Amino acid sequence: MREPRPAPPAFLFFGVFTGFEPLFGEVKALLEVRFGSLHPRGESPVYPFPATQTYSRSMGPNLLRKFFVLERPWPQDGLARVKLAAIEMESAIRDRGTFPVERPVNIDPGLINDCRVVLASTKDYAHRLYRGEGIWEEVTLFHEKGSYRPLPWTYPDFRSPAYHPFFESFREELLSIIQSARSQGRPPSGPPSA
């Protein structure tokens, strides 16, 4: 019988989208205060966000997307608490009442590990697992045969290969961390607690 092993490290990221581009800088500063420094490569380019009725009603038109990745690896069982903190940040920005939309910004945390990209959600569906405190998680992308692949429920923007090279560089770094730990005979763990 195989003994349980600690989970390998993962990188915590935040997928942020908004119709107000200056909010990217504000959110970045909030994330660094709350969670720590960004990785040296941890700020993505700005991507156009696909137009959807779901978000355009509450967030307005012409949405933009950006990703922020923390410098230090994160525990894979710590995502639900991060999602709750992200909800608090969104609410604080909304409650200022300085934006002409119901929801000025969406801050979605996720994890990049050696084989998948995981997102947290407040909504339950058949493909999501409950993680406590009203938060579910889903595998959004999995890595197979050298590239990220979507699943039937993967959000349209994550289906697009535009984001995949950004995630790939962090996956490769994790693989290097895991390989180094194994060559030294130690488990590839030790990220900070959430």
Side-chain angles (χ1 to χ4, degrees):
M1 183 165 137
R2 191 172 185 175
E3 292 295 317
R5 294 180 296 174
F11 278 113
L12 178 63
F13 74 90
F14 296 85
V16 179
F17 61 95
T18 180
F20 306 94
E21 194 164 355
L23 276 178
F24 287 130
E26 182 177 341
V27 170
K28 175 184 173 182
L30 289 171
L31 294 174
E32 289 188 296
V33 167
R34 185 83 182 245
F35 297 106
S37 301
L38 292 186
H39 191 283
R41 299 185 321 274
E43 188 170 348
S44 78
V46 175
Y47 303 99
F49 190 81
T52 66
Q53 287 188 344
T54 303
Y55 292 111
S56 60
R57 282 195 297 268
S58 61
M59 299 185 70
N62 306 316
L63 299 177
L64 300 169
R65 160 80 88 181
K66 196 168 199 178
F67 293 101
F68 299 101
V69 182
L70 293 190
E71 182 173 27
R72 295 172 64 199
W74 201 261
Q76 292 196 52
D77 61 353
L79 187 56
R81 286 170 283 170
V82 175
K83 177 66 173 177
L84 294 170
I87 292 168
E88 289 175 15
M89 291 178 191
E90 281 187 30
S91 297
I93 292 169
R94 181 198 64 221
D95 292 348
R96 292 197 318 240
T98 54
F99 296 93
V101 295
E102 176 187 334
R103 190 179 188 188
V105 66
N106 185 309
I107 305 170
D108 283 328
L111 293 170
I112 305 164
N113 73 10
D114 59 324
C115 59
R116 70 184 75 89
V117 173
V118 175
L119 291 177
S121 177
T122 57
K123 297 179 284 294
D124 181 18
Y125 285 105
H127 61 279
R128 293 181 177 155
L129 299 176
Y130 188 62
R131 301 293 284 175
E133 300 185 70
I135 305 299
W136 284 260
E137 293 177 14
E138 70 174 46
V139 175
T140 296
L141 297 169
F142 70 99
H143 203 276
E144 182 184 60
K145 298 179 182 175
S147 64
Y148 281 108
R149 300 184 186 279
L151 293 146
W153 52 80
T154 300
Y155 291 109
D157 62 321
F158 278 85
R159 287 181 171 279
S160 164
Y163 304 162
H164 299 180
F166 182 72
F167 295 142
E168 185 71 48
S169 69
F170 294 100
R171 177 185 177 271
E172 289 173 7
E173 185 171 333
L174 286 170
L175 288 171
S176 177
I177 291 169
I178 291 166
Q179 182 61 37
S180 175
R182 285 183 181 149
S183 70
Q184 296 172 21
R186 58 182 176 81
S189 61
S193 59

mmCIF file of all heavy atoms in Angstrom, residues 59-96:
data_model
loop_
_atom_site.group_PDB
_atom_site.id
_atom_site.type_symbol
_atom_site.label_atom_id
_atom_site.label_comp_id
_atom_site.label_asym_id
_atom_site.label_seq_id
_atom_site.Cartn_x
_atom_site.Cartn_y
_atom_site.Cartn_z
ATOM 1 N N MET A 59 -20.743 44.379 -15.731
ATOM 2 C CA MET A 59 -19.417 44.980 -15.749
ATOM 3 C C MET A 59 -19.207 45.978 -16.877
ATOM 4 O O MET A 59 -18.194 46.672 -16.904
ATOM 5 C CB MET A 59 -18.355 43.879 -15.829
ATOM 6 C CG MET A 59 -18.388 42.919 -14.653
ATOM 7 S SD MET A 59 -17.041 41.709 -14.688
ATOM 8 C CE MET A 59 -15.630 42.747 -14.343
ATOM 9 N N GLY A 60 -20.131 46.034 -17.827
ATOM 10 C CA GLY A 60 -19.984 46.963 -18.937
ATOM 11 C C GLY A 60 -19.258 46.325 -20.120
ATOM 12 O O GLY A 60 -18.849 45.166 -20.068
ATOM 13 N N PRO A 61 -19.075 47.092 -21.197
ATOM 14 C CA PRO A 61 -18.450 46.562 -22.412
ATOM 15 C C PRO A 61 -16.929 46.685 -22.382
ATOM 16 O O PRO A 61 -16.352 47.265 -21.467
ATOM 17 C CB PRO A 61 -19.031 47.470 -23.503
ATOM 18 C CG PRO A 61 -19.189 48.794 -22.801
ATOM 19 C CD PRO A 61 -19.571 48.456 -21.375
ATOM 20 N N ASN A 62 -16.296 46.154 -23.424
ATOM 21 C CA ASN A 62 -14.857 46.332 -23.658
ATOM 22 C C ASN A 62 -14.003 45.899 -22.469
ATOM 23 O O ASN A 62 -13.127 46.631 -22.008
ATOM 24 C CB ASN A 62 -14.545 47.785 -24.030
ATOM 25 C CG ASN A 62 -15.377 48.262 -25.193
ATOM 26 O OD1 ASN A 62 -15.533 47.552 -26.185
ATOM 27 N ND2 ASN A 62 -15.948 49.450 -25.074
ATOM 28 N N LEU A 63 -14.262 44.701 -21.986
ATOM 29 C CA LEU A 63 -13.511 44.204 -20.841
ATOM 30 C C LEU A 63 -12.114 43.753 -21.258
ATOM 31 O O LEU A 63 -11.896 43.299 -22.384
ATOM 32 C CB LEU A 63 -14.260 43.033 -20.201
ATOM 33 C CG LEU A 63 -15.650 43.355 -19.663
ATOM 34 C CD1 LEU A 63 -16.321 42.091 -19.132
ATOM 35 C CD2 LEU A 63 -15.605 44.428 -18.591
ATOM 36 N N LEU A 64 -11.192 43.888 -20.321
ATOM 37 C CA LEU A 64 -9.799 43.495 -20.523
ATOM 38 C C LEU A 64 -9.390 42.518 -19.432
ATOM 39 O O LEU A 64 -9.879 42.592 -18.302
ATOM 40 C CB LEU A 64 -8.883 44.716 -20.483
ATOM 41 C CG LEU A 64 -9.160 45.796 -21.534
ATOM 42 C CD1 LEU A 64 -8.368 47.060 -21.221
ATOM 43 C CD2 LEU A 64 -8.824 45.270 -22.920
ATOM 44 N N ARG A 65 -8.457 41.627 -19.743
ATOM 45 C CA ARG A 65 -8.020 40.579 -18.819
ATOM 46 C C ARG A 65 -6.521 40.691 -18.571
ATOM 47 O O ARG A 65 -5.747 40.992 -19.485
ATOM 48 C CB ARG A 65 -8.340 39.218 -19.436
ATOM 49 C CG ARG A 65 -7.596 38.056 -18.902
ATOM 50 C CD ARG A 65 -8.148 37.529 -17.614
ATOM 51 N NE ARG A 65 -9.193 36.547 -17.837
ATOM 52 C CZ ARG A 65 -9.846 35.966 -16.850
ATOM 53 N NH1 ARG A 65 -9.584 36.287 -15.598
ATOM 54 N NH2 ARG A 65 -10.783 35.067 -17.100
ATOM 55 N N LYS A 66 -6.111 40.441 -17.339
ATOM 56 C CA LYS A 66 -4.700 40.384 -16.996
ATOM 57 C C LYS A 66 -4.525 39.338 -15.899
ATOM 58 O O LYS A 66 -5.419 39.131 -15.075
ATOM 59 C CB LYS A 66 -4.230 41.749 -16.502
ATOM 60 C CG LYS A 66 -2.737 41.930 -16.478
ATOM 61 C CD LYS A 66 -2.373 43.395 -16.270
ATOM 62 C CE LYS A 66 -0.951 43.616 -16.713
ATOM 63 N NZ LYS A 66 -0.546 45.009 -16.584
ATOM 64 N N PHE A 67 -3.363 38.685 -15.892
ATOM 65 C CA PHE A 67 -3.049 37.695 -14.863
ATOM 66 C C PHE A 67 -1.881 38.195 -14.007
ATOM 67 O O PHE A 67 -0.948 38.828 -14.514
ATOM 68 C CB PHE A 67 -2.654 36.359 -15.491
ATOM 69 C CG PHE A 67 -3.776 35.674 -16.201
ATOM 70 C CD1 PHE A 67 -3.875 35.742 -17.583
ATOM 71 C CD2 PHE A 67 -4.739 34.976 -15.501
ATOM 72 C CE1 PHE A 67 -4.911 35.113 -18.254
ATOM 73 C CE2 PHE A 67 -5.785 34.347 -16.162
ATOM 74 C CZ PHE A 67 -5.876 34.412 -17.535
ATOM 75 N N PHE A 68 -1.959 37.874 -12.719
ATOM 76 C CA PHE A 68 -0.883 38.154 -11.775
ATOM 77 C C PHE A 68 -0.539 36.846 -11.063
ATOM 78 O O PHE A 68 -1.430 36.144 -10.584
ATOM 79 C CB PHE A 68 -1.311 39.196 -10.742
ATOM 80 C CG PHE A 68 -1.674 40.527 -11.340
ATOM 81 C CD1 PHE A 68 -2.999 40.893 -11.515
ATOM 82 C CD2 PHE A 68 -0.690 41.427 -11.736
ATOM 83 C CE1 PHE A 68 -3.342 42.113 -12.075
ATOM 84 C CE2 PHE A 68 -1.015 42.656 -12.288
ATOM 85 C CZ PHE A 68 -2.346 43.001 -12.460
ATOM 86 N N VAL A 69 0.753 36.522 -10.984
ATOM 87 C CA VAL A 69 1.206 35.278 -10.362
ATOM 88 C C VAL A 69 2.147 35.621 -9.216
ATOM 89 O O VAL A 69 3.075 36.420 -9.379
ATOM 90 C CB VAL A 69 1.938 34.371 -11.383
ATOM 91 C CG1 VAL A 69 2.369 33.056 -10.732
ATOM 92 C CG2 VAL A 69 1.062 34.110 -12.597
ATOM 93 N N LEU A 70 1.915 34.996 -8.059
ATOM 94 C CA LEU A 70 2.773 35.241 -6.910
ATOM 95 C C LEU A 70 4.140 34.593 -7.076
ATOM 96 O O LEU A 70 4.289 33.598 -7.791
ATOM 97 C CB LEU A 70 2.126 34.696 -5.635
ATOM 98 C CG LEU A 70 0.861 35.389 -5.158
ATOM 99 C CD1 LEU A 70 0.503 34.889 -3.759
ATOM 100 C CD2 LEU A 70 0.978 36.896 -5.154
ATOM 101 N N GLU A 71 5.106 35.153 -6.372
ATOM 102 C CA GLU A 71 6.478 34.674 -6.471
ATOM 103 C C GLU A 71 6.672 33.324 -5.793
ATOM 104 O O GLU A 71 7.327 32.437 -6.328
ATOM 105 C CB GLU A 71 7.416 35.699 -5.829
ATOM 106 C CG GLU A 71 8.870 35.339 -5.906
ATOM 107 C CD GLU A 71 9.767 36.456 -5.421
ATOM 108 O OE1 GLU A 71 9.336 37.274 -4.585
ATOM 109 O OE2 GLU A 71 10.914 36.502 -5.892
ATOM 110 N N ARG A 72 6.114 33.164 -4.601
ATOM 111 C CA ARG A 72 6.349 31.948 -3.826
ATOM 112 C C ARG A 72 5.297 30.899 -4.143
ATOM 113 O O ARG A 72 4.124 31.229 -4.315
ATOM 114 C CB ARG A 72 6.309 32.279 -2.341
ATOM 115 C CG ARG A 72 7.447 33.199 -1.916
ATOM 116 C CD ARG A 72 7.284 33.670 -0.506
ATOM 117 N NE ARG A 72 7.348 32.543 0.425
ATOM 118 C CZ ARG A 72 6.885 32.606 1.664
ATOM 119 N NH1 ARG A 72 6.313 33.701 2.111
ATOM 120 N NH2 ARG A 72 6.978 31.561 2.454
ATOM 121 N N PRO A 73 5.695 29.628 -4.202
ATOM 122 C CA PRO A 73 4.699 28.564 -4.378
ATOM 123 C C PRO A 73 3.642 28.601 -3.282
ATOM 124 O O PRO A 73 3.887 29.100 -2.178
ATOM 125 C CB PRO A 73 5.534 27.289 -4.316
ATOM 126 C CG PRO A 73 6.894 27.719 -4.763
ATOM 127 C CD PRO A 73 7.064 29.110 -4.192
ATOM 128 N N TRP A 74 2.488 28.068 -3.605
ATOM 129 C CA TRP A 74 1.328 28.138 -2.716
ATOM 130 C C TRP A 74 0.794 26.726 -2.464
ATOM 131 O O TRP A 74 0.839 25.882 -3.356
ATOM 132 C CB TRP A 74 0.242 28.980 -3.385
ATOM 133 C CG TRP A 74 -0.754 29.538 -2.420
ATOM 134 C CD1 TRP A 74 -1.997 29.045 -2.141
ATOM 135 C CD2 TRP A 74 -0.589 30.689 -1.612
ATOM 136 N NE1 TRP A 74 -2.608 29.821 -1.197
ATOM 137 C CE2 TRP A 74 -1.767 30.847 -0.847
ATOM 138 C CE3 TRP A 74 0.448 31.601 -1.436
ATOM 139 C CZ2 TRP A 74 -1.943 31.873 0.065
ATOM 140 C CZ3 TRP A 74 0.268 32.643 -0.532
ATOM 141 C CH2 TRP A 74 -0.911 32.773 0.203
ATOM 142 N N PRO A 75 0.243 26.456 -1.255
ATOM 143 C CA PRO A 75 -0.296 25.123 -1.003
ATOM 144 C C PRO A 75 -1.539 24.850 -1.855
ATOM 145 O O PRO A 75 -2.400 25.717 -2.006
ATOM 146 C CB PRO A 75 -0.637 25.140 0.490
ATOM 147 C CG PRO A 75 -0.767 26.580 0.844
ATOM 148 C CD PRO A 75 0.127 27.340 -0.086
ATOM 149 N N GLN A 76 -1.631 23.662 -2.379
ATOM 150 C CA GLN A 76 -2.746 23.343 -3.269
ATOM 151 C C GLN A 76 -4.081 23.238 -2.539
ATOM 152 O O GLN A 76 -5.134 23.273 -3.175
ATOM 153 C CB GLN A 76 -2.449 22.051 -4.042
ATOM 154 C CG GLN A 76 -1.311 22.245 -5.035
ATOM 155 C CD GLN A 76 -1.249 21.147 -6.053
ATOM 156 O OE1 GLN A 76 -2.233 20.833 -6.705
ATOM 157 N NE2 GLN A 76 -0.076 20.553 -6.210
ATOM 158 N N ASP A 77 -4.049 23.143 -1.210
ATOM 159 C CA ASP A 77 -5.309 23.109 -0.475
ATOM 160 C C ASP A 77 -5.675 24.471 0.117
ATOM 161 O O ASP A 77 -6.554 24.573 0.961
ATOM 162 C CB ASP A 77 -5.262 22.050 0.628
ATOM 163 C CG ASP A 77 -4.176 22.320 1.665
ATOM 164 O OD1 ASP A 77 -3.370 23.255 1.480
ATOM 165 O OD2 ASP A 77 -4.126 21.582 2.668
ATOM 166 N N GLY A 78 -5.037 25.541 -0.361
ATOM 167 C CA GLY A 78 -5.288 26.873 0.191
ATOM 168 C C GLY A 78 -6.068 27.803 -0.702
ATOM 169 O O GLY A 78 -6.175 28.997 -0.418
ATOM 170 N N LEU A 79 -6.648 27.289 -1.786
ATOM 171 C CA LEU A 79 -7.285 28.177 -2.769
ATOM 172 C C LEU A 79 -8.614 28.746 -2.282
ATOM 173 O O LEU A 79 -8.946 29.889 -2.576
ATOM 174 C CB LEU A 79 -7.479 27.439 -4.095
ATOM 175 C CG LEU A 79 -7.978 28.256 -5.277
ATOM 176 C CD1 LEU A 79 -7.078 29.449 -5.560
ATOM 177 C CD2 LEU A 79 -8.102 27.368 -6.510
ATOM 178 N N ALA A 80 -9.390 27.972 -1.523
ATOM 179 C CA ALA A 80 -10.721 28.455 -1.091
ATOM 180 C C ALA A 80 -10.603 29.717 -0.252
ATOM 181 O O ALA A 80 -11.361 30.681 -0.451
ATOM 182 C CB ALA A 80 -11.456 27.361 -0.321
ATOM 183 N N ARG A 81 -9.645 29.751 0.655
ATOM 184 C CA ARG A 81 -9.470 30.949 1.499
ATOM 185 C C ARG A 81 -9.031 32.151 0.668
ATOM 186 O O ARG A 81 -9.401 33.285 0.951
ATOM 187 C CB ARG A 81 -8.464 30.666 2.607
ATOM 188 C CG ARG A 81 -9.064 29.777 3.707
ATOM 189 C CD ARG A 81 -8.025 29.302 4.669
ATOM 190 N NE ARG A 81 -7.295 28.214 4.014
ATOM 191 C CZ ARG A 81 -6.188 27.669 4.472
ATOM 192 N NH1 ARG A 81 -5.657 28.102 5.584
ATOM 193 N NH2 ARG A 81 -5.604 26.694 3.826
ATOM 194 N N VAL A 82 -8.260 31.893 -0.363
ATOM 195 C CA VAL A 82 -7.834 32.984 -1.244
ATOM 196 C C VAL A 82 -9.031 33.541 -2.007
ATOM 197 O O VAL A 82 -9.166 34.757 -2.192
ATOM 198 C CB VAL A 82 -6.733 32.505 -2.213
ATOM 199 C CG1 VAL A 82 -6.379 33.587 -3.216
ATOM 200 C CG2 VAL A 82 -5.494 32.071 -1.437
ATOM 201 N N LYS A 83 -9.926 32.657 -2.456
ATOM 202 C CA LYS A 83 -11.130 33.105 -3.163
ATOM 203 C C LYS A 83 -11.966 34.011 -2.266
ATOM 204 O O LYS A 83 -12.486 35.041 -2.716
ATOM 205 C CB LYS A 83 -11.946 31.898 -3.623
ATOM 206 C CG LYS A 83 -13.264 32.244 -4.306
ATOM 207 C CD LYS A 83 -13.063 32.950 -5.622
ATOM 208 C CE LYS A 83 -14.378 33.138 -6.370
ATOM 209 N NZ LYS A 83 -14.213 33.894 -7.621
ATOM 210 N N LEU A 84 -12.107 33.670 -0.996
ATOM 211 C CA LEU A 84 -12.861 34.518 -0.069
ATOM 212 C C LEU A 84 -12.214 35.892 0.073
ATOM 213 O O LEU A 84 -12.907 36.915 0.106
ATOM 214 C CB LEU A 84 -12.985 33.826 1.289
ATOM 215 C CG LEU A 84 -13.825 32.544 1.288
ATOM 216 C CD1 LEU A 84 -13.688 31.813 2.624
ATOM 217 C CD2 LEU A 84 -15.285 32.834 0.979
ATOM 218 N N ALA A 85 -10.897 35.934 0.124
ATOM 219 C CA ALA A 85 -10.193 37.216 0.207
ATOM 220 C C ALA A 85 -10.390 38.030 -1.069
ATOM 221 O O ALA A 85 -10.552 39.253 -1.023
ATOM 222 C CB ALA A 85 -8.708 36.985 0.465
ATOM 223 N N ALA A 86 -10.376 37.355 -2.229
ATOM 224 C CA ALA A 86 -10.591 38.050 -3.502
ATOM 225 C C ALA A 86 -11.998 38.658 -3.555
ATOM 226 O O ALA A 86 -12.179 39.769 -4.074
ATOM 227 C CB ALA A 86 -10.370 37.091 -4.669
ATOM 228 N N ILE A 87 -12.976 37.951 -3.030
ATOM 229 C CA ILE A 87 -14.338 38.482 -2.979
ATOM 230 C C ILE A 87 -14.386 39.750 -2.120
ATOM 231 O O ILE A 87 -15.034 40.737 -2.485
ATOM 232 C CB ILE A 87 -15.313 37.405 -2.446
ATOM 233 C CG1 ILE A 87 -15.448 36.266 -3.453
ATOM 234 C CG2 ILE A 87 -16.682 38.005 -2.115
ATOM 235 C CD1 ILE A 87 -16.147 35.031 -2.914
ATOM 236 N N GLU A 88 -13.677 39.728 -1.004
ATOM 237 C CA GLU A 88 -13.599 40.927 -0.145
ATOM 238 C C GLU A 88 -12.987 42.104 -0.906
ATOM 239 O O GLU A 88 -13.446 43.243 -0.791
ATOM 240 C CB GLU A 88 -12.758 40.638 1.098
ATOM 241 C CG GLU A 88 -13.402 39.720 2.101
ATOM 242 C CD GLU A 88 -12.443 39.387 3.238
ATOM 243 O OE1 GLU A 88 -11.398 40.067 3.398
ATOM 244 O OE2 GLU A 88 -12.735 38.427 3.976
ATOM 245 N N MET A 89 -11.923 41.859 -1.671
ATOM 246 C CA MET A 89 -11.275 42.926 -2.438
ATOM 247 C C MET A 89 -12.235 43.499 -3.479
ATOM 248 O O MET A 89 -12.332 44.718 -3.634
ATOM 249 C CB MET A 89 -10.016 42.400 -3.118
ATOM 250 C CG MET A 89 -8.902 42.064 -2.184
ATOM 251 S SD MET A 89 -7.493 41.403 -3.123
ATOM 252 C CE MET A 89 -6.498 40.787 -1.793
ATOM 253 N N GLU A 90 -12.904 42.620 -4.209
ATOM 254 C CA GLU A 90 -13.893 43.085 -5.195
ATOM 255 C C GLU A 90 -14.947 43.964 -4.536
ATOM 256 O O GLU A 90 -15.314 45.020 -5.062
ATOM 257 C CB GLU A 90 -14.600 41.892 -5.845
ATOM 258 C CG GLU A 90 -13.842 41.184 -6.908
ATOM 259 C CD GLU A 90 -14.719 40.138 -7.595
ATOM 260 O OE1 GLU A 90 -15.948 40.324 -7.675
ATOM 261 O OE2 GLU A 90 -14.167 39.128 -8.062
ATOM 262 N N SER A 91 -15.451 43.517 -3.384
ATOM 263 C CA SER A 91 -16.503 44.251 -2.688
ATOM 264 C C SER A 91 -16.022 45.621 -2.235
ATOM 265 O O SER A 91 -16.758 46.609 -2.326
ATOM 266 C CB SER A 91 -17.011 43.451 -1.484
ATOM 267 O OG SER A 91 -17.587 42.245 -1.904
ATOM 268 N N ALA A 92 -14.791 45.692 -1.739
ATOM 269 C CA ALA A 92 -14.250 46.981 -1.281
ATOM 270 C C ALA A 92 -14.158 47.969 -2.437
ATOM 271 O O ALA A 92 -14.476 49.155 -2.281
ATOM 272 C CB ALA A 92 -12.881 46.769 -0.638
ATOM 273 N N ILE A 93 -13.745 47.509 -3.594
ATOM 274 C CA ILE A 93 -13.664 48.392 -4.771
ATOM 275 C C ILE A 93 -15.064 48.808 -5.211
ATOM 276 O O ILE A 93 -15.331 49.975 -5.481
ATOM 277 C CB ILE A 93 -12.886 47.692 -5.908
ATOM 278 C CG1 ILE A 93 -11.410 47.542 -5.516
ATOM 279 C CG2 ILE A 93 -13.017 48.472 -7.220
ATOM 280 C CD1 ILE A 93 -10.591 46.642 -6.420
ATOM 281 N N ARG A 94 -15.990 47.855 -5.270
ATOM 282 C CA ARG A 94 -17.370 48.153 -5.665
ATOM 283 C C ARG A 94 -18.031 49.139 -4.695
ATOM 284 O O ARG A 94 -18.714 50.068 -5.111
ATOM 285 C CB ARG A 94 -18.186 46.859 -5.701
ATOM 286 C CG ARG A 94 -19.636 47.053 -6.115
ATOM 287 C CD ARG A 94 -20.509 45.878 -5.725
ATOM 288 N NE ARG A 94 -20.556 45.769 -4.265
ATOM 289 C CZ ARG A 94 -20.497 44.617 -3.598
ATOM 290 N NH1 ARG A 94 -20.401 43.477 -4.223
ATOM 291 N NH2 ARG A 94 -20.541 44.610 -2.278
ATOM 292 N N ASP A 95 -17.810 48.937 -3.395
ATOM 293 C CA ASP A 95 -18.508 49.731 -2.384
ATOM 294 C C ASP A 95 -18.058 51.181 -2.331
ATOM 295 O O ASP A 95 -18.720 52.007 -1.684
ATOM 296 C CB ASP A 95 -18.362 49.071 -1.009
ATOM 297 C CG ASP A 95 -19.117 47.754 -0.916
ATOM 298 O OD1 ASP A 95 -19.937 47.463 -1.814
ATOM 299 O OD2 ASP A 95 -18.876 47.002 0.058
ATOM 300 N N ARG A 96 -16.972 51.511 -3.000
ATOM 301 C CA ARG A 96 -16.583 52.928 -3.076
ATOM 302 C C ARG A 96 -17.610 53.728 -3.865
ATOM 303 O O ARG A 96 -17.717 54.937 -3.709
ATOM 304 C CB ARG A 96 -15.209 53.064 -3.736
ATOM 305 C CG ARG A 96 -14.093 52.521 -2.892
ATOM 306 C CD ARG A 96 -12.734 53.008 -3.344
ATOM 307 N NE ARG A 96 -12.545 53.017 -4.772
ATOM 308 C CZ ARG A 96 -11.614 52.322 -5.433
ATOM 309 N NH1 ARG A 96 -10.790 51.557 -4.757
ATOM 310 N NH2 ARG A 96 -11.498 52.399 -6.725
#
